[in-house]
């Protein structure tokens, strides 16, 4: 492969091309040495050497299909070109429209919040019973059970949590953890049974866990445990009640077993917790109904990206019409959210997301409205009829005198948003069809006007609310069709502009100035948020305030 071309392809794509090329060489050798059919080789070897977990089935099928053509004599050069194009389109084809970036500041804040919560709620924790048997030599063995174990004190050192690029995940470690426990004991020795209470101290517990982040086949975020190590320094036990003074003599026999039991239970519990988190992630919704017409799709578009200072999740971020689920006639473009280590969280939103919402509403037929006399009277304190409009179009008054009118306003294309530096632009191409309402209720078409308009606005965050403003940059009316003859539209255009400037935009900007509250969840809300509009996307950087409760943090 040409060096310049190879460098322009992401490393994971280059790896896939190399990996699959090795697969082909293996297949050619197998074809020479065995009498397997081409189809068998393609079916077995592509599945065995192609990294199935990272790619869609359609992508694997395409590679398998080309593998068979390769065996049937297609030239190596043509195959390489086709393979490269297929892999790039399958593996690297979808750009995220929303990016969520967790910085190291956010990770450490989460660690502190979790540690504080654990420290404050230790009394709510209980540990499972520990049972076993201790061999005391010639005297036989003692069966014991330690139950109702609760933590009464904990010296919880600051844990370490860091982004771990080597495993595309998180590495958590805690060293020197010591805690005191209390509970009840029961022992059985031959026909003798006794019970009482105990205190236990565990010293210098060290745990290291590495959790890998990935993407499951349904495009949910997935987590898995890839490493866990645990060590227990020492244990001290004091028995009370019953004939505990007898069994205290055998504490040295219990200690090794208790240390082993604690150590052997830590990593399975860590892995169980990660597995429970994975189950929760599997059931999380990644598609949300916004209203009766529109839904928002938020699956992952690729594997999580992790470096030493941040975690980046790319989400599809597409609105779609619930009834048709029609894909918009445009694609999300790549963009890079600047890293903001001074904030815990950054979110990048491509103009694709807003335009997909616009296209979804347009395809649902919602960008249209009827305007009648009562509507105009309510807002402009004037009537909508042929007598009033006839002052601007004289022939209308002659042909249809004194009749009420109805206007049908609709979009001819979906409105297009564009993000430019510090500004949001909106283009609207629409039309206005006018009708005279006859005395029998029927509507007579009069004329149709094309509307060409452009607007610009600003958005910002203040008092933890998203606010904005909008102004009109251009508004043009042209005559598209007429049943009453031609006429000039300049005066009518100026009248509509005046109505927009005097009534519509002041009311709209009042609402935009009040803003809407930033999104929050039960235990967290965004603070110190800053919003910036860039070329093609907007970014919001923010800190978070978290309040964890016993029921709210599990």
């Amino acid at each position: 492969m040409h060096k310049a071309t190879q460098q322009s392809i992401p490393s994971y794509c280059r790896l896939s091309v190399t990996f699959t090329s090795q697969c082909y060489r293996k297949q050619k050798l197998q074809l020479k040495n065995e009498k397997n059919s081409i189809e068998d080789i393609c079916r077995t070897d592509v599945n065995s050497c192609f990294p199935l977990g990272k790619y869609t089935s359609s992508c694997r099928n395409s590679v398998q299909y080309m593998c068979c053509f390769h065996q049937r004599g297609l030239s190596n050069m043509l195959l390489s070109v086709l393979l490269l194009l297929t892999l790039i389109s399958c593996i690297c084809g979808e750009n995220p429209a929303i990016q969520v970036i967790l910085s190291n500041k956010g990770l450490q804040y989460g660690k502190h919040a979790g540690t504080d919560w654990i420290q404050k709620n230790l009394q709510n924790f209980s540990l499972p019973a520990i049972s076993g048997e201790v061999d005391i030599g010639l005297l036989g063995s003692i069966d014991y059970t330690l139950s109702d174990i609760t933590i009464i004190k904990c010296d919880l050192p600051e844990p370490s949590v860091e982004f771990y690029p080597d495993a595309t995940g998180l590495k958590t470690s805690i060293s020197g953890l010591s805690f005191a426990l209390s509970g009840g004991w029961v022992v059985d020795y031959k026909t003798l049974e006794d019970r009482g209470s105990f205190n236990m101290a565990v010293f210098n517990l060290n745990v290291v866990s590495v959790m890998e982040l990935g993407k499951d086949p349904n495009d949910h975020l997935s987590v898995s445990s890839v490493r866990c190590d645990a060590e227990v320094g020492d244990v001290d036990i004091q028995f009370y009640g019953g004939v505990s003074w007898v069994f205290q003599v055998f504490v040295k026999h219990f200690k090794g077993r208790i240390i082993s039991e604690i150590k052997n239970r830590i990593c399975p519990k860590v892995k169980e917790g990660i597995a429970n988190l994975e189950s929760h992630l599997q059931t999380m919704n990644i598609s949300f109904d916004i209203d009766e017409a529109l839904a928002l799709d938020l699956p992952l578009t690729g594997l999580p990206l992790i470096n030493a200072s941040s975690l980046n999740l790319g989400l599809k971020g597409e609105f779609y019409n619930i009834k048709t689920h029609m894909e918009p006639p445009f694609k999300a473009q790549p963009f890079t959210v600047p890293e903001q280590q001074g904030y815990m969280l950054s979110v990048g939103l491509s103009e694709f997301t807003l335009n997909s919402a616009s296209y979804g509403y347009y395809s649902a037929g919602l960008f249209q409205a009827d305007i009648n006399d009562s509507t105009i009277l309510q807002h402009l304190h004037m009537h909508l009829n042929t007598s009033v409009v006839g002052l601007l179009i004289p022939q209308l008054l002659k042909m249809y005198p004194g009749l009420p009118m109805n206007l049908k306003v609709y979009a001819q294309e979906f409105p297009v948003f564009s993000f430019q530096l510090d500004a949001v632009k909106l283009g609207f191409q629409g039309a206005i069809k006018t009708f005279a309402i006859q005395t029998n209720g029927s509507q007579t078409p009069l004329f149709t006007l094309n509307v060409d308009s452009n607007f610009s606005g600003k958005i910002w965050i203040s008092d933890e609310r998203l606010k904005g403003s909008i102004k009109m940059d251009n508004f043009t009316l042209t005559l598209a069709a007429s049943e009453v003859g031609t006429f000039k539209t300049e005066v009518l255009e100026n009248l509509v502009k005046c109505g927009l400037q005097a009534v519509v935009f002041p009311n709209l900007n009042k609402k935009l100035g009040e803003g809407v509250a930033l999104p929050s969840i039960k235990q967290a809300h965004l603070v110190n948020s800053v919003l910036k509009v860039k070329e093609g996307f907007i970014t919001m950087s923010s800190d978070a305030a978290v309040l964890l409760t016993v029921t709210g943090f599990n």
Side-chain angles (χ1 to χ4, degrees):
M1 187 182 298
H2 192 276
K3 186 175 182 181
T5 302
Q6 189 175 17
Q7 290 177 345
S8 66
I9 303 171
S11 57
Y12 56 87
C13 294
R14 294 201 301 271
L15 175 63
S16 301
V17 173
T18 304
F19 200 57
T20 310
S21 298
Q22 294 172 353
C23 174
Y24 288 148
R25 289 196 292 272
K26 177 181 176 183
Q27 290 164 346
K28 288 180 67 177
L29 180 62
Q30 185 175 357
L31 186 64
K32 290 179 180 179
N33 297 335
E34 301 180 14
K35 295 183 179 180
N36 294 347
S37 69
I38 295 171
E39 290 77 7
D40 288 340
I41 294 171
C42 290
R43 182 167 54 252
T44 58
D45 280 33
V46 169
N47 287 336
S48 64
C49 68
F50 196 78
L52 303 180
K54 294 184 179 180
Y55 317 112
T56 63
S57 59
S58 60
C59 181
R60 296 197 299 271
N61 291 340
S62 299
V63 174
Q64 190 178 74
Y65 181 72
M66 288 194 298
C67 163
C68 296
F69 266 79
H70 174 64
Q71 299 293 355
R72 291 174 180 173
L74 190 64
S75 72
N76 290 342
M77 182 178 295
L78 178 58
L79 174 65
S80 298
V81 172
L82 291 174
L83 174 61
L84 180 60
L85 292 175
T86 300
L87 287 173
I88 290 175
S89 64
C90 292
I91 305 167
C92 320
E94 190 171 21
N95 294 311
I98 296 177
Q99 295 183 42
V100 180
I101 300 175
L102 177 68
S103 70
N104 189 57
K105 180 182 179 182
L107 182 66
Q108 299 311 314
Y109 178 81
K111 175 193 73 174
H112 291 310
T115 303
D116 291 345
W117 180 86
I118 291 173
Q119 189 75 64
K120 292 175 181 178
N121 291 279
L122 285 173
Q123 69 273 15
N124 296 307
F125 284 103
S126 60
L127 303 179
I130 298 175
S131 299
E133 181 183 274
V134 177
D135 186 0
I136 52 176
L138 296 175
L139 297 177
S141 62
I142 298 176
D143 295 321
Y144 68 90
T145 298
L146 305 181
S147 59
D148 301 324
I149 305 172
T150 58
I151 299 174
I152 56 176
K153 186 178 180 181
C154 180
D155 179 14
L156 184 61
E158 184 74 13
S160 169
V161 181
E162 59 185 295
F163 296 115
Y164 197 60
D166 291 350
T168 315
L170 303 174
K171 180 180 179 181
T172 305
S173 59
I174 187 167
S175 301
L177 171 63
S178 299
F179 51 91
L181 308 170
S182 66
W185 59 266
V186 176
V187 294
D188 289 302
Y189 177 65
K190 299 185 181 302
T191 59
L192 175 65
E193 178 182 302
D194 202 3
R195 64 186 63 240
S197 62
F198 73 90
N199 288 333
M200 180 190 303
V202 180
F203 302 102
N204 296 322
L205 176 65
N206 302 324
V207 183
V208 177
S209 173
V210 176
M211 180 176 68
E212 183 179 41
L213 305 180
K215 180 170 78 80
D216 73 7
N218 295 318
D219 299 328
H220 291 81
L221 179 66
S222 66
V223 295
S224 59
S225 175
V226 295
R227 175 189 166 194
C228 182
D229 301 308
E231 293 293 337
V232 179
D234 196 12
V235 169
D236 186 25
I237 308 174
Q238 186 68 47
F239 291 98
Y240 302 97
V243 290
S244 57
W245 58 272
V246 175
F247 299 111
Q248 191 68 41
V249 178
F250 302 106
V251 163
K252 62 181 180 179
H253 297 284
F254 281 89
K255 283 180 61 173
R257 177 63 63 89
I258 297 300
I259 289 174
S260 178
E261 283 283 346
I262 294 175
K263 176 182 175 180
N264 292 338
R265 290 179 182 222
I266 291 173
C267 282
K269 282 296 180 183
V270 170
K271 293 178 180 179
E272 180 184 331
I274 294 175
N276 289 338
L277 175 58
E278 168 70 2
S279 298
H280 177 69
L281 291 172
Q282 297 292 314
T283 59
M284 285 183 65
N285 288 333
I286 55 175
S287 184
F288 306 89
D289 289 350
I290 305 302
D291 52 31
E292 293 182 356
L294 216 60
L296 175 61
D297 228 2
L298 290 174
L300 288 174
T301 58
L303 294 173
L305 301 177
I306 287 184
N307 58 35
S309 60
S310 65
L311 160 66
N312 186 316
L313 299 178
L315 308 175
K316 188 173 184 180
E318 179 186 335
F319 289 94
Y320 61 88
N321 183 338
I322 292 176
K323 292 182 179 179
T324 65
H325 209 148
M326 186 183 300
E327 290 290 326
F330 48 86
K331 298 294 183 182
Q333 299 302 307
F335 66 100
T336 302
V337 178
E339 213 170 287
Q340 300 286 344
Q341 285 300 319
Y343 292 93
M344 299 179 191
L345 183 73
S346 294
V347 178
L349 176 72
S350 165
E351 58 193 18
F352 170 87
T353 298
L354 283 186
N355 285 325
S356 68
S358 176
Y359 181 77
Y361 281 128
Y362 175 76
S363 63
L366 297 181
F367 284 137
Q368 54 183 321
D370 289 325
I371 299 176
N372 52 36
D373 182 67
S374 61
T375 307
I376 295 294
L377 187 62
Q378 178 183 355
H379 295 286
L380 295 180
H381 307 293
M382 60 181 291
H383 288 281
L384 177 62
N385 54 41
T386 55
S387 298
V388 174
V389 179
L391 298 175
L392 306 176
I393 309 171
Q395 62 267 38
L396 180 61
L397 187 58
K398 294 178 181 179
M399 297 175 66
Y400 302 102
L403 293 179
M405 291 179 62
N406 184 46
L407 309 181
K408 181 177 287 294
V409 183
Y410 60 93
Q412 298 190 71
E413 300 176 1
F414 67 91
V416 177
F417 291 88
S418 65
F419 294 139
Q420 301 178 14
L421 191 61
D422 297 326
V424 179
K425 301 288 187 177
L426 172 63
F428 178 81
Q429 311 297 317
I432 303 174
K433 283 187 175 181
T434 63
F435 301 88
I437 303 176
Q438 302 291 343
T439 53
N440 62 3
S442 64
Q443 299 192 53
T444 302
L446 301 176
F447 55 87
T448 300
L449 299 171
N450 284 338
V451 180
D452 185 3
S453 55
N454 297 97
F455 308 91
S456 61
K458 293 185 177 297
I459 50 176
W460 65 91
I461 293 175
S462 176
D463 301 324
E464 311 307 332
R465 297 179 71 85
L466 179 63
K467 302 180 179 181
S469 65
I470 189 172
K471 66 177 183 178
M472 184 168 58
D473 296 331
N474 173 65
F475 185 87
T476 304
L477 290 179
T478 55
L479 186 62
S482 177
E483 304 296 328
V484 297
T486 60
F487 57 90
K488 292 183 178 181
T489 60
E490 287 82 357
V491 177
L492 189 58
E493 178 183 302
N494 290 331
L495 183 62
V496 175
K497 282 182 181 179
C498 288
L500 292 174
Q501 299 283 23
V503 179
V504 176
F505 284 105
N507 289 331
L508 181 57
N509 281 321
K510 182 181 179 182
K511 292 290 185 182
L512 292 174
E514 294 171 355
V516 294
L518 295 177
S520 63
I521 56 176
K522 280 186 177 181
Q523 284 78 41
H525 63 277
L526 301 177
V527 296
N528 305 324
S529 304
V530 176
L531 186 143
K532 294 182 179 180
V533 184
K534 305 287 187 178
E535 293 289 337
F537 64 97
I538 59 176
T539 65
M540 184 186 72
S541 300
S542 183
D543 291 331
V546 176
L547 177 63
L548 299 178
T549 63
V550 174
T551 57
F553 183 75
N554 188 345

